[in-house]
């Protein structure tokens, strides 16, 4: 009797051990698989975040390059058109050219408003306001009704000053893209207060004179490529134009 109970108990323990071993093995395997799946999910999520970061960086790089080119083109077009106004040589083709540059600038600015960082957008806003003010005063000068502070010399000096603002804007863009650690300091561009500006000094000894001269003050370059007219004022600097 006792031997039978012992044998029965041993059989029950053996069967229970076998069943428990199977259950425990499955639970351990499930935990290992869950941990592995969790690690794979974390790695995939980190990879996705990295890909999104790189894609966003690429979008900003393309946007900043287009904005930089559009702002530079618009400023140079305004300089050239201002010189034509001063020389009374404005033609419908030249007016259409400056309007085309202005529209390209507006399109680039509209795209940048959706993509650019806050720091870059602040610089773009300042430059847009300044260029709009320069455009308004240039057109009034061309119509024969110059605004206060809207003489040729004053507008030309303001467009030259925008070169420094453009350099600062470019530095902020490079810093935002990680090219430069810190953007270079540049004078703030503020076209909202034209009355606070100091009038541009007259030409000094040895410099070219504005009225009736063949060159523009502050200009050291030849004619604009592709144009059939005179030199572009203020386009002598490679980094500022």
């Amino acid at each position: 009797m006792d031997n039978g109970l012992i044998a029965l108990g041993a059989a029950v323990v053996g069967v229970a051990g076998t069943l428990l071993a199977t259950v425990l093995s499955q639970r351990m395997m499930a935990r290992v698989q869950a941990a592995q799946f969790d690690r794979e999910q974390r790695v995939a999520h980190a990879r996705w975040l990295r890909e999104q970061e790189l894609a966003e960086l690429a979008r900003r790089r393309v946007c900043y390059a287009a904005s930089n080119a559009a702002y530079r083109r618009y400023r140079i077009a305004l300089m050239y058109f201002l010189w034509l106004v001063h020389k009374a040589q404005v033609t419908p083709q030249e007016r259409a050219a400056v309007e085309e540059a202005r529209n390209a600038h507006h399109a680039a600015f509209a795209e940048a408003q959706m993509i650019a960082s806050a720091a870059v957008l602040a610089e773009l806003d300042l430059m847009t306001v300044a260029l709009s003010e320069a455009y308004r005063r240039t057109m009034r000068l061309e119509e024969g009704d110059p605004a206060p502070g809207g003489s040729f010399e004053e507008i030309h000096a303001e467009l030259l000053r925008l070169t420094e603002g453009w350099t600062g804007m470019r530095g902020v863009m490079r810093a935002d893209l990680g090219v430069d650690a810190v953007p270079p300091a540049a004078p703030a561009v503020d076209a909202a207060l034209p009355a606070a500006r100091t009038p541009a000094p007259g030409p000094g000894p040895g410099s070219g004179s504005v009225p009736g001269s063949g060159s523009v003050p502050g200009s050291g370059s030849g004619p604009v490529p592709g144009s059939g007219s005179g030199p572009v004022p203020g386009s002598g600097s490679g980094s500022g134009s």
Side-chain angles (χ1 to χ4, degrees):
M1 184 66 179
D2 292 338
N3 292 335
L5 292 175
I6 292 173
L8 179 60
V12 171
V13 170
V15 172
T18 302
L19 295 176
L20 287 175
T22 303
V23 173
L24 292 176
S25 176
Q26 291 177 349
R27 289 176 63 88
M28 291 180 63
M29 182 65 67
R31 289 181 180 179
V32 170
Q33 290 177 346
Q36 182 178 359
F37 178 76
D38 186 60
R39 284 194 301 270
E40 291 175 352
Q41 286 291 96
R42 289 198 300 269
V43 170
H45 184 65
R47 186 183 299 114
W48 180 82
L49 289 177
R50 179 59 178 168
E51 291 174 353
Q52 291 298 309
E53 181 181 350
L54 292 176
E56 176 63 22
L57 184 64
R59 281 194 296 268
R60 278 188 285 133
R61 183 182 295 110
V62 172
C63 173
Y64 292 171
S67 298
N68 188 46
Y71 276 67
R72 180 178 181 272
R73 176 189 175 194
Y74 185 28
R75 182 178 56 81
I76 293 176
L78 273 179
M79 275 189 164
Y80 183 60
F81 187 78
L82 176 64
W83 178 244
L84 294 178
V85 170
H86 177 63
K87 303 297 285 185
Q89 297 177 354
V90 176
T91 64
Q93 292 78 13
E94 301 297 347
R95 179 180 282 275
V98 75
E99 290 298 331
E100 181 183 355
R102 181 169 177 256
N103 292 334
H105 158 263
H106 287 170
F109 180 57
E111 181 181 4
Q113 286 178 313
M114 302 295 104
I115 298 177
S117 65
V120 173
L121 190 56
E123 293 292 328
L124 294 177
D125 284 338
L126 289 175
M127 287 293 292
T128 298
V129 171
L131 286 170
S132 297
E133 176 65 15
Y135 172 84
R136 182 187 68 84
R137 289 189 290 158
T138 300
M139 291 305 165
R140 288 193 58 176
L141 182 63
E142 193 267 336
E143 293 169 358
D145 181 26
S151 66
F152 167 77
E153 292 80 5
E154 289 170 314
I155 301 174
H156 178 254
E158 177 61 22
L159 288 172
L160 287 178
R161 193 169 73 89
L162 286 180
T163 301
E164 299 176 349
W166 172 77
T167 303
M169 179 187 74
R170 183 187 61 188
V172 174
M173 288 179 175
R174 288 171 60 87
D176 188 62
L177 293 174
V179 179
D180 295 331
V182 179
V189 177
D190 186 3
L193 301 173
R197 297 192 186 93
T198 302
S207 64
S209 60
V210 174
S213 65
S215 63
V216 181
S219 169
S221 68
V224 175
S227 71
S229 304
V232 180
S235 61
S237 169
S239 63
S241 61

